[in-house]
Amino acid sequence: MKKAILVTLVTVTLFSCKAFADEDKMVQFEALPAQVKEFVNTHFKGVGVAYAKEERETFVVTGYEVMFTTGEKVEFDRTCAWEEVDCKYSAVPASVIPAQIKDFVAQKHPDAKIVKIERDRWDYEVELNIGLELKFDLQFNLIGYDS
């Protein structure tokens, strides 16, 4: 009986801590780190910000997200480096896209535009408005296509 009560108590405690610890926090755009604000002001100048938030796990900021009134979204990691730029209905600003990726897409898919780009420590993923997804390594070599 004591064991069952202890297991129940531990389970409830873990779920309570997890639910509390993973709360994102809405913030004013002005309260974001300088690097995030600079990126937004450089690449999305004149576009209204719908909301900004700090992403949190276990009481630690793990990233930031900025959503624009036009539907575009930018996600940043905890060091304020961009991880994802998702423009859904319009092209990702050319100033965000590495030149090698921009040139590859222009050469191989001249009528397509990049509507989403993601990067992590292993690769870049690019989504085109024609339904193709391209994957590049960190040296901008094409790894493969996905549809």
Side-chain angles (χ1 to χ4, degrees):
M1 182 66 160
K2 286 182 183 180
K3 197 175 202 179
I5 292 172
L6 181 61
V7 169
T8 303
L9 182 60
V10 168
T11 303
V12 168
T13 303
L14 287 175
F15 280 117
S16 298
C17 288
K18 179 73 173 158
F20 180 70
D22 286 348
E23 289 188 18
D24 293 343
K25 178 182 174 187
M26 302 304 276
V27 295
Q28 294 294 318
F29 178 75
E30 295 75 25
L32 290 171
Q35 303 96 309
V36 172
K37 291 188 293 190
E38 181 179 337
F39 181 93
V40 169
N41 291 330
T42 299
H43 303 290
F44 292 90
K45 187 175 185 153
V47 180
V49 173
Y51 69 81
K53 69 178 179 177
E54 288 180 342
E55 297 174 343
R56 298 172 161 267
E57 283 184 27
T58 319
F59 310 109
V60 176
V61 174
T62 59
Y64 304 91
E65 180 179 304
V66 177
M67 178 67 96
F68 299 95
T69 55
T70 53
E72 290 101 346
K73 176 180 76 168
V74 182
E75 293 182 11
F76 301 88
D77 67 13
R78 62 182 169 80
T79 68
C80 302
W82 69 267
E83 290 183 313
E84 178 183 311
V85 179
D86 187 353
C87 292
K88 292 184 186 176
Y89 310 111
S90 62
V92 170
S95 55
V96 174
I97 305 165
Q100 299 91 325
I101 293 175
K102 198 176 352 177
D103 292 345
F104 181 90
V105 171
Q107 183 180 50
K108 300 292 184 184
H109 305 284
D111 296 329
K113 60 184 175 181
I114 298 172
V115 294
K116 182 177 182 180
I117 186 167
E118 295 179 65
R119 70 176 179 185
D120 57 30
R121 61 180 127 153
W122 299 283
D123 57 33
Y124 286 83
E125 291 184 23
V126 173
E127 187 177 314
L128 305 180
N129 66 326
I130 58 174
L132 288 177
E133 293 180 18
L134 293 74
K135 195 171 204 176
F136 297 87
D137 65 18
L138 295 178
Q139 288 73 44
F140 308 109
N141 300 304
L142 181 69
I143 297 171
Y145 279 90
D146 220 358
S147 58

